[in-house]
Amino acid sequence: MPRIPEARILIVASDGFEEWELFGPKQILEERGAEVVLAAPKLEPIQATVHDDPGKTIRPDLTIDQANPEDFDALILPGGVRNPDHLRTNEEAIKLITDFAGQGKPVAAICHGPWLLVEADLLRGKTATSWPSIRTDLRNAGANVVDEAVVTDGNIITSRNPDDVDAFTAAVIDLVENAPNVIAIDHPREVPA
């Protein structure tokens, strides 16, 4: 795995992402020298929330269907309520997440972001954390749920809320720089008929 100054990190989000859960990791990673790229369903600016209030906007660099896991070293999924709720019904977003995971690359989700890991069926048998209101969803998806600032299990990183952004981003950096070379796994996903 590369050192952070040579790393390319992809963030995937849509309208309704929690502001600090995108801008915080982006800022920290860029200050460390990483290239951070934002993908969204469309190229129009997306708007953050700060809890339930409107926050900043940011223009995506590319659309989700243009993103290729081969071009990146890790994937970050910010929370907010509307953002992951919207993205979990986006087939291209779920495919992108499963492709990252299948290649053994770090996939990091914070707050409500782990909903996307549930949808991608990546939490079965994993230890994970999240915003308290979705922990039952994680358990129902087969996760061992804990209440910790950040949890790393294999190539999956989860975190609870905006207050944990520093620990969350440090875990991403650690996994990008120190993960052993992981053999790509075939992650079959059952698709309803």
Side-chain angles (χ1 to χ4, degrees):
M1 297 300 260
R3 305 299 296 166
I4 282 300
E6 291 86 40
R8 293 188 82 220
I9 311 295
L10 181 67
I11 299 177
V12 172
S14 68
D15 280 324
F17 66 91
E18 182 67 35
E19 186 173 287
W20 187 239
E21 293 170 5
L22 187 153
F23 285 99
K26 182 178 187 314
Q27 176 185 322
I28 293 166
L29 289 163
E30 287 176 344
E31 286 172 355
R32 295 282 302 270
E35 179 184 355
V36 180
V37 176
L38 174 62
K42 298 178 183 175
L43 286 177
E44 287 95 30
I46 55 176
Q47 183 162 24
T49 58
V50 179
H51 305 292
D52 294 327
D53 297 322
K56 298 178 189 176
T57 61
I58 186 170
R59 183 174 295 280
D61 300 297
L62 64 156
T63 58
I64 290 169
D65 65 330
Q66 293 171 324
N68 181 351
E70 300 288 330
D71 298 334
F72 299 96
D73 299 299
L75 174 64
I76 293 177
L77 305 168
V81 177
R82 288 184 336 183
N83 165 51
D85 190 52
H86 173 250
L87 289 176
R88 68 192 298 197
T89 62
N90 182 314
E91 290 179 16
E92 292 170 341
I94 300 306
K95 181 179 183 321
L96 183 64
I97 293 164
T98 57
D99 288 350
F100 264 90
Q103 292 178 21
K105 293 184 177 184
V107 176
I110 186 169
C111 196
H112 286 75
W115 260 344
L116 295 165
L117 305 180
V118 168
E119 195 64 36
D121 194 24
L122 296 177
L123 294 180
R124 195 169 314 281
K126 298 280 188 185
T127 298
T129 193
S130 68
W131 183 258
S133 68
I134 70 166
R135 290 181 183 162
T136 298
D137 296 336
L138 273 63
R139 273 189 211 91
N140 290 341
N144 171 38
V145 179
V146 297
D147 183 13
E148 296 179 17
V150 65
V151 176
T152 301
D153 189 336
N155 64 322
I156 303 295
I157 300 167
T158 52
S159 195
R160 300 176 301 194
N161 60 57
D163 293 337
D164 298 328
V165 162
D166 288 342
F168 174 71
T169 309
V172 171
I173 291 168
D174 184 58
L175 195 57
V176 167
E177 290 189 337
N178 298 310
N181 290 328
V182 180
I183 297 171
I185 56 168
D186 180 25
H187 182 77
R189 180 166 161 18
E190 292 180 24
V191 178

